[in-house]
Amino acid sequence: MIYMLEDDPSIRNFVIYALNNSGFEAIGFELPSELYRAAAEKLPELLLLDIMLPEEDGLTVLRKLRSAAETKKLPIILLTAKGTEFDKVTGLDSGADDYISKPFGTMELISRIKALLRRSAPISDINTYMAGKLKLRTDMREVTADGKRISLTLKEYELLKILIKNKGKVFTRDELLRIVWGFDFSGESRTVDVHIRTLRSKLGIYGELIETVRGVGYRIGGSND
């Protein structure tokens, strides 16, 4: 999820539209107070931040975000009409990861976003998959929820792994049987239902992340929350 704080509705709407049509999820905000409320409920993966804003300027917003533990490492790109070298240095010294002057091209913006997200991704994420506060680490074969380790059987773990690695994709029971139990497995699709039920039970409130698609199979929703 990408957040954008921009008080000009024409720029904000255009950028949000472009991002959503380029495979990103994006939401725009006009006021810093709106951004703070949204970030308190759900942190974005990246923030696009204007400097000239009502309530308080973007550099003040930037410094506040950098001083808070939750948003200290949040990737932030400044988007502003103030494009002198001094303005850029000031923005970068205040904690911005990148700086794009207005007017800017959509392709350049998307390219810079992708580059920053690549740079910001921890190496350990290669073996880590997330759904909300549910985390699966393939290198350690470990599942945690809210930081607490959850003990799963091998089949329960493999079921969760295939679902969480492919968030948003619906797997039929037959597909899960082939992937988790092997092509030669002679059981029935009810085997999958039983394991899904026990897996949900062990995950507690996070068991709700595993969605039943009626008449088809199962999935974990496509959001990165």
Side-chain angles (χ1 to χ4, degrees):
M1 176 65 73
I2 295 175
Y3 286 173
M4 181 180 193
L5 180 55
E6 165 66 64
D7 64 323
D8 186 323
S10 60
I11 296 175
R12 185 175 66 248
N13 293 337
F14 174 75
V15 171
I16 296 303
Y17 176 82
L19 290 176
N20 285 326
N21 278 274
S22 299
F24 294 101
E25 289 184 85
I27 299 177
F29 304 96
E30 179 181 3
L31 303 174
S33 57
E34 297 173 344
L35 171 68
Y36 295 144
R37 283 194 296 270
E41 296 182 4
K42 176 183 175 182
L43 287 176
E45 297 174 78
L46 181 144
L47 172 64
L48 300 174
L49 177 62
D50 187 26
I51 288 183
M52 303 300 291
L53 294 166
E55 295 186 342
E56 57 188 8
D57 65 82
L59 292 179
T60 300
V61 174
L62 177 59
R63 295 186 184 105
K64 284 184 177 180
L65 293 174
R66 286 293 179 247
S67 65
E70 298 84 358
T71 52
K72 184 177 182 180
K73 296 183 178 181
L74 173 66
I76 298 175
I77 298 177
L78 288 179
L79 302 178
T80 178
K82 302 176 69 175
T84 68
E85 182 179 5
F86 175 78
D87 292 323
K88 293 180 180 179
V89 170
T90 300
L92 294 172
D93 285 348
S94 297
D97 297 286
D98 202 351
Y99 194 113
I100 301 179
S101 300
K102 299 176 183 176
F104 51 82
T106 304
M107 292 181 65
E108 178 190 1
L109 174 62
I110 292 173
S111 178
R112 301 274 278 271
I113 288 173
K114 289 180 177 178
L116 178 53
L117 289 174
R118 285 195 300 269
R119 296 198 304 270
S120 304
I123 295 176
S124 60
D125 280 357
I126 295 173
N127 295 309
T128 300
Y129 299 92
M130 301 286 296
K133 295 184 179 179
L134 183 65
K135 178 189 293 186
L136 184 147
R137 290 189 58 176
T138 58
D139 56 337
M140 300 178 65
R141 197 183 165 277
E142 180 183 76
V143 175
T144 58
D146 278 334
K148 297 179 181 178
R149 193 174 187 279
I150 298 174
S151 179
L152 301 177
T153 67
L154 177 60
K155 296 305 183 187
E156 290 164 354
Y157 171 83
E158 293 297 330
L159 267 175
L160 180 60
K161 183 173 74 172
I162 193 65
L163 292 172
I164 203 170
K165 284 178 66 175
N166 298 276
K167 284 188 292 185
K169 179 178 178 179
V170 180
F171 287 87
T172 67
R173 291 168 175 82
D174 287 343
E175 287 176 326
L176 292 173
L177 280 171
R178 288 195 299 270
I179 295 169
V180 176
W181 279 268
F183 287 98
D184 296 327
F185 184 76
S186 59
E188 300 177 356
S189 61
R190 178 160 174 76
T191 299
V192 175
D193 296 334
V194 171
H195 279 76
I196 289 288
R197 186 164 60 247
T198 57
L199 177 58
R200 282 172 169 160
S201 177
K202 289 184 178 181
L203 295 178
I205 60 174
Y206 297 102
E208 297 177 358
L209 293 170
I210 302 175
E211 303 171 0
T212 300
V213 180
R214 189 177 298 275
V216 183
Y218 299 97
R219 71 178 176 190
I220 285 180
S223 171
N224 290 322
D225 302 350

